[in-house]
Each structure stands twice: as C-alpha cells, then as structure tokens.
Amino acid sequence: MGIELVISGLLVLMIIAAIVAVEIKDLLSSVVAVGAVGVVLSLLFLLLQAPDLAIVQLVVEILALIILVRATVTRDGTDYSTKEIFVKTVTMIGVLIFIFYAFRAIKELPRFGEPKMKVASYYVTEGNGIKNNISETGAANIVASIILDYRGYDTLGEATVLFTAVLGVLAVMRKVGRKK
Amino acid sequence: MAGYIPYILCLILFLVGLYAILVKKNLIKIIIGLGIIDYSLNLFFVLVGYKKGSGFPILTKGETVHPMVDPLPQALVLTAIVIGLAVTMLMIAIAIRLYEKYGTFDITQIRKLKG
C-alpha cells in the first residue's frame, strides 16, 4: 500500500498543477505550471523503477519549457475565455460519456502492481538460453536492448519522425521566400 | 477499487487535458492541453507495467536475473516521449507564425483564409 499511496499523492499534485496550467490567466505562469507537471512526472518515473525514462523526461521537459517560453514571453497574454454555454454543456456531456466507458474499461485491467508480463518473462527466462551470457542480446540494460535490438525498426521510425518534424519547423519558420 | 486508484487519477489528468483542448480558445492553452494528454498516456503505460517490490530492468555485474518491472512499456514510452517533444515543437512553430500573421492567439479570430 505504501508505494501506491506515494504515487497517488504525486498524481494528485500533477492534476492540481495541470488545472492551474489550464485555468490561469497569464500565459507565462501557465507555461511554468506545465513545467511543474513534467518534473513531477519525471519523479514518478523514478519511483516506478524507470530511470531511463526519468532522465529523458527531465531533458525533454526543459527543452519544451524553453520553446514554450520563447513562444509566449513577448506576446499578448490575455485569456480569451469562453462565454458560450453550449460549448461547455456539450463538452461536459462528452466527458461524462467518456468517464462511463473508461471506468468500465479500467475494471478489465490487471490490478496496479500485478502486471501480466508475458513478453518480459520470456526475455528473462526462455530468452536466457546462451551460457555465460546475461541475456539474449548480451545487454545489461534491458530497455536499451529492446529499443535498439528487438524494436530497432521502431527506433528508425522515431528518427524519421524527428527529422520530419524538424523539416516542418524549418519550412514554417523560414524567412526566405516569404511574401510581404 | 483499491488496486485501481493510480489508473483513475491518470484518467482524471487525461480529462484535464481534454477539457483544455475542447473549451479553451487560446492556441497556447490548446497546445498545453495536448502536452498534458501526452504526459498522462506515457504515465499510464508505465503504471500498467509496474510490479510491486521489484527493481529497475538493468542487470548488475554477475547477475543473471532479479525481480524487475516490465521493460517493454518503458521502451515504448521512451520513443513516445521524444516524438511528443517533436510534435509540440511543430505545433508551437505554427502557432508563432499564426501570431505573426493575425496578431492574436484567439482561434475564433483566426478564420480568414488569406495568402
């Protein structure tokens, strides 16, 4: 029960920071609140025994924060609040339907802390066939061996997505060829 | 219900992001809502793979096996985090260009098709 309580407390902190980020008027404060959400998420990854993810999340969060501050700091920060009752009503009905089905779906999941782990069990038992070798790939870090060996094409696709996103940013932001 | 509380809180975080996307009119707020949804989904994957009383999936020297959490969701989420950053960067670049063109982040004002 102990670890579950700690994780639930940090998640409540994340939810509070997210509500602040969504509802506060000043855009710069909103961006800083998103940074708080990301840093707590990094802490949660560390508690959930995922050190690689914690490191990557921290770096990504800092980069995203810098870019978001660049986008908001010199610009008009007024909040364009919604006055229309119709939009909020429809949104609330949609959210209630979503909650109903999501609660039914969550009941089907394995309980927290008791995963099925079919693939991972294969990796550490049957996959451990070679003598004097710690695993099938010989890698000590199993997460690294999955992303670079078993799912190497997946990582190649990730690099493609990153390259495409950089191309998109360059195409959108370039100064040459822009009509005045 | 006792074993499902972290999942439910993760779902509530998702709903906060969904609310921001559907109701807010500020472009930056919508991007922030998408980022929050991204965080909650990444966290959900890692939560499903967590196993009580086990260590991280890295073998130390001379060790063959020890109780460890599921490494597969962690590998998938590692990819998803980086792609999330790339998507956020692209969205912010488009938002900056829209601000240069229209002088506002209000999505109800950005409806004229020009040039």
Side-chain angles (χ1 to χ4, degrees):
Chain A
M1 195 62 200
I3 184 76
E4 201 173 331
L5 210 61
V6 174
I7 286 167
S8 302
L10 283 174
L11 261 165
V12 169
L13 194 64
M14 271 179 86
I15 291 167
I16 292 169
I19 290 171
V20 167
V22 169
E23 287 298 333
I24 205 163
K25 293 249 189 270
D26 186 26
L27 270 186
L28 196 58
S29 315
S30 174
V31 169
V32 173
V34 172
V37 179
V39 172
V40 176
L41 179 60
S42 169
L43 200 60
L44 267 174
F45 281 153
L46 207 55
L47 278 175
L48 290 168
Q49 309 293 340
D52 312 276
L53 288 182
I55 297 164
V56 171
Q57 175 63 38
L58 197 58
V59 172
V60 160
E61 186 51 46
I62 290 166
L63 283 176
L65 198 64
I66 291 168
I67 298 162
L68 271 168
V69 168
R70 159 76 178 77
T72 55
V73 74
T74 57
R75 286 171 176 80
D76 173 29
T78 50
D79 189 46
Y80 319 106
S81 54
T82 313
K83 291 283 187 289
E84 297 144 20
I85 302 297
F86 177 73
V87 174
K88 285 196 172 172
T89 315
V90 171
T91 305
M92 280 302 159
I93 291 169
V95 163
L96 283 177
I97 293 169
F98 180 85
I99 287 177
F100 177 69
Y101 282 104
F103 269 68
R104 288 181 64 171
I106 277 177
K107 288 267 192 294
E108 304 291 322
L109 284 170
R111 296 169 76 84
F112 176 70
E114 297 153 19
K116 297 227 190 281
M117 285 186 72
K118 284 187 178 146
V119 180
S121 319
Y122 167 77
Y123 185 91
V124 295
T125 54
E126 282 90 354
N128 197 4
I130 307 158
K131 290 265 173 65
N132 300 322
N133 201 351
I134 48 176
S135 64
E136 203 175 35
T137 56
N141 188 339
I142 295 177
V143 175
S145 80
I146 288 173
I147 60 169
L148 294 176
D149 191 316
Y150 296 109
R151 294 188 175 270
Y153 285 118
D154 205 0
T155 310
L156 186 66
E158 178 201 349
T160 314
V161 169
L162 278 179
F163 184 64
T164 315
V166 169
L167 274 184
V169 169
L170 285 178
V172 169
M173 297 294 283
R174 76 202 160 117
K175 290 272 190 277
V176 183
R178 196 184 280 181
K179 267 189 269 181
K180 284 292 158 198
Chain B
M1 217 60 203
Y4 297 103
I5 291 170
Y7 297 157
I8 291 166
L9 289 171
C10 208
L11 182 72
I12 292 171
L13 190 66
F14 180 89
L15 287 174
V16 172
L18 195 66
Y19 175 82
I21 290 176
L22 291 175
V23 171
K24 292 290 159 183
K25 286 186 174 178
N26 195 327
L27 209 49
I28 298 292
K29 287 280 172 70
I30 292 172
I31 293 171
I32 284 171
L34 276 165
I36 289 170
I37 284 184
D38 203 24
Y39 291 158
S40 78
L41 287 180
N42 290 343
L43 182 60
F44 186 73
F45 269 34
V46 179
L47 279 175
V48 171
Y50 181 73
K51 191 178 175 189
K52 267 178 195 158
S54 25
F56 42 75
I58 296 173
L59 299 167
T60 47
K61 194 176 180 189
E63 197 177 24
T64 51
V65 66
H66 70 101
M68 57 179 70
V69 299
D70 198 342
L72 187 63
Q74 296 191 13
L76 297 178
V77 167
L78 199 63
T79 311
I81 288 174
V82 180
I83 288 177
L85 175 70
V87 170
T88 310
M89 269 168 55
L90 189 56
M91 284 192 293
I92 290 170
I94 293 171
I96 290 173
R97 284 286 289 127
L98 281 173
Y99 189 89
E100 281 176 14
K101 192 113 184 162
Y102 293 93
T104 178
F105 280 133
D106 191 349
I107 54 166
T108 55
Q109 302 295 318
I110 304 172
R111 50 168 47 156
K112 293 186 285 286
L113 286 171
K114 53 176 184 181

